[in-house]
Amino acid sequence: MTTANSVPVSITLTTTNNAQGWQQDKMLQISEDNIAIYLPQDAAYRLRKIQMAARKIEKLDIIHAALQGDAWDEASQWAFALGFSCVNKLENISFCGEPALIERLSNKLAVYAWSRDLTNQTPAELYPLKLAQLASDYIKNLAPKHVSTRLIQGEALKEQQWMGIYNVGKGSINEPCLLELDFNPTGDDNAQVTACLVGKGITFDSGGYSIKSNAGMFDMKCDMGGAAVVAGALALAMKQGLNQRVKLYLCCAENMISRDAYKLGDIITYKNGVTCEIANTDAEGRLVLADGLMAASETGAPMIIDAATLTGAAVSATGGDYTALFALDNDVAAKAQTSAKATGEAIWQLPLEPWHQDKCPSVFADTANSRTIKGGGAGGASNAAGFLSRFVDNGGAGWLHFDLAGAYNGAESGLWAAGATGLGIATIADLISNH
């Protein structure tokens, strides 16, 4: 069997147990230059098992997998792709089936590979302005005539009252920025913006003066995963034929310690008049997202989606196997559930009510950005969502908050290689295309 070079290895999927001897009844059955994934017709959690099998196959040092045979449908091929792809092998899969299916899966894999690679980059490579530039370039290249951008950076953020991004990023030598990208395929400058996407783009999170531990800081290059996911979602929707106007906002900063860094006890006054006392400089994601949500609300878009690697509480609640979903609008939450089911991505709705806005009280301001106890205290993910809800219009109608608990894995598992996963891209792409 070819395992040490780039010659594709044939991978088939079968419900028939053809192996003899020690391989009999095993999920992976190897014969010459072919690997068969054997799953009985009635196998429970079939797609999960295919993803796990793909992870095992990748660990055999196979460089390129070629899926073959009639048993592969779209969902099973995508499950294999998620399990097999990893750092340096993000696109090393050949799909099978009708040409349209192969093209659809290849386009999807290319977008996920771009988003995952972006998230995996080092903090030295990927600083705030570079993140904005790479996202702009990638999406512009898909539709040069229909994409325009505006970038607000450094002191201009303060001048234009984008105070969350400005304060979080002012301690770094690398300037913070707010990217606004407008995809407008209609040709009409006055066309309605049908949806806005807002992404947390913290390219490195030291925790600021509420400094993280070494272990807690090690993977914080991934803290711009929300920006990578929403940019990837727009790119995927465009590849799939999106014909409506959508705006993308990336809130980009480094959260660093210096003589200029924001401090505990500081009070930020936002553009909408909300005042916020800093109780934890490591609760910075919600501070930058607030600016993006206000900018998105100004468009009057009926749907606003934000995505962020926001809270450890969401990881604790979901085990990292689900994206945590928050909404005050049950109808739009139901649409998110429908899109997640259609795309095979796992999401779980956690509690959010208007009174969650009051869960981080301050004597000196309208709210604090967290509480001064570990992890922000009980219900930390819901409390963070409650904070964000202060910055969307119309009582949260049409707004969805994705806390990306499964966006990045510091170590490999039975399902995933180490690094970014891209989870959330397909769900959000489906939402902005079909809402």
Side-chain angles (χ1 to χ4, degrees):
M1 182 178 65
T2 303
T3 60
N5 57 45
S6 59
V7 176
V9 173
S10 173
I11 314 293
T12 57
L13 180 63
T14 180
T15 58
T16 304
N17 184 17
N18 294 316
Q20 302 296 320
W22 67 270
Q23 293 194 80
Q24 190 168 9
D25 297 325
K26 301 293 186 184
M27 185 164 59
L28 295 188
Q29 301 181 348
I30 301 172
S31 175
E32 297 180 350
D33 280 338
N34 177 75
I35 299 176
I37 300 174
Y38 163 60
L39 282 175
Q41 189 70 46
D42 58 351
Y45 305 110
R46 182 171 174 271
L47 295 180
R48 185 179 177 88
K49 289 178 178 177
I50 290 171
Q51 186 172 340
M52 295 175 72
R55 189 87 288 280
K56 292 179 179 179
I57 290 170
E58 187 279 322
K59 292 174 72 175
L60 296 174
D61 291 332
I62 290 169
I63 303 301
H64 193 111
L67 307 187
Q68 296 183 1
D70 296 334
W72 289 106
D73 60 13
E74 185 166 357
S76 60
Q77 290 191 72
W78 185 245
F80 182 93
L82 292 178
F84 184 83
S85 54
C86 62
V87 173
N88 298 322
K89 286 192 275 189
L90 288 172
E91 293 185 82
N92 293 19
I93 301 157
S94 298
F95 297 108
C96 62
E98 295 296 323
L101 173 60
I102 294 173
E103 181 180 14
R104 189 160 62 246
L105 285 167
S106 298
N107 282 339
K108 188 176 182 180
L109 186 63
V111 170
Y112 270 69
W114 174 80
S115 177
R116 293 169 75 180
D117 181 65
L118 190 68
T119 306
N120 290 339
Q121 290 187 27
T122 71
E125 294 173 312
L126 195 70
Y127 44 91
L129 288 171
K130 186 67 173 293
L131 171 58
Q133 176 194 336
L134 291 176
S136 295
D137 290 349
Y138 183 67
I139 295 172
K140 276 184 177 179
N141 190 54
L142 298 177
K145 295 181 180 179
H146 301 307
V147 174
S148 60
T149 61
R150 184 168 71 104
L151 188 68
I152 308 166
Q153 66 188 79
E155 290 298 316
L157 290 163
K158 183 178 182 181
E159 293 165 7
Q160 298 183 37
Q161 296 183 286
W162 302 118
M163 300 305 292
I165 300 170
Y166 174 77
N167 276 279
V168 170
K170 69 180 182 178
S172 173
I173 193 171
N174 293 309
E175 286 189 329
C177 63
L178 173 62
L179 171 68
E180 176 187 327
L181 184 146
D182 186 357
F183 171 63
N184 186 5
T186 69
D188 178 4
D189 291 341
N190 297 314
Q192 169 71 49
V193 177
T194 62
C196 287
L197 304 178
V198 181
K200 174 186 172 184
I202 301 296
T203 56
F204 186 72
D205 181 18
S206 71
Y209 280 108
S210 304
I211 192 168
K212 293 178 180 289
S213 66
N214 185 74
M217 202 187 301
F218 182 68
D219 290 326
M220 282 301 101
K221 64 182 182 182
C222 82
D223 214 18
M224 40 60 64
V229 163
V230 290
L234 178 56
L236 180 59
M238 290 166 65
K239 282 176 173 281
Q240 293 173 340
L242 179 67
N243 59 7
Q244 303 175 84
R245 188 178 187 182
V246 174
K247 284 195 173 187
L248 171 72
Y249 295 90
L250 301 187
C251 309
C252 308
E254 278 186 337
N255 188 20
M256 302 294 284
I257 295 172
S258 75
R259 66 183 183 183
D260 297 319
Y262 78 127
K263 297 171 285 295
L264 295 163
D266 281 351
I267 292 179
I268 297 174
T269 301
Y270 279 98
K271 197 173 187 178
N272 65 352
V274 170
T275 56
C276 172
E277 183 181 19
I278 305 305
N280 184 349
T281 61
D282 196 23
E284 85 297 330
R286 66 201 70 179
L287 297 175
V288 302
L289 284 174
D291 285 335
L293 290 171
M294 285 188 292
S297 293
E298 288 177 359
T299 70
M303 175 176 281
I304 296 175
I305 301 169
D306 77 72
T309 50
L310 203 64
T311 66
V315 180
S316 297
T318 66
D321 294 315
Y322 297 78
T323 293
L325 171 69
F326 297 87
L328 293 170
D329 181 337
N330 288 329
D331 290 337
V332 75
K335 291 178 181 178
Q337 296 280 8
T338 298
S339 289
K341 185 175 181 179
T343 57
E345 293 189 325
I347 65 175
W348 187 29
Q349 188 172 359
L350 292 178
L352 179 62
E353 299 291 345
W355 44 261
H356 277 104
Q357 289 187 1
D358 302 321
K359 283 290 190 172
C360 297
S362 166
V363 173
F364 302 101
D366 296 324
T367 184
N369 70 325
S370 186
R371 296 161 69 192
T372 55
I373 52 181
K374 185 176 175 59
S382 294
N383 299 344
F387 177 90
L388 294 178
S389 72
R390 292 175 174 271
F391 301 94
V392 290
D393 291 344
N394 304 318
W399 167 61
L400 293 167
H401 165 51
F402 288 83
D403 196 330
L404 301 173
Y408 186 92
N409 297 305
E412 69 173 339
S413 69
L415 282 173
W416 296 98
T421 65
L423 281 178
I425 291 175
T427 297
I428 296 172
D430 188 80
L431 270 166
I432 62 175
S433 297
N434 300 312
H435 75 274

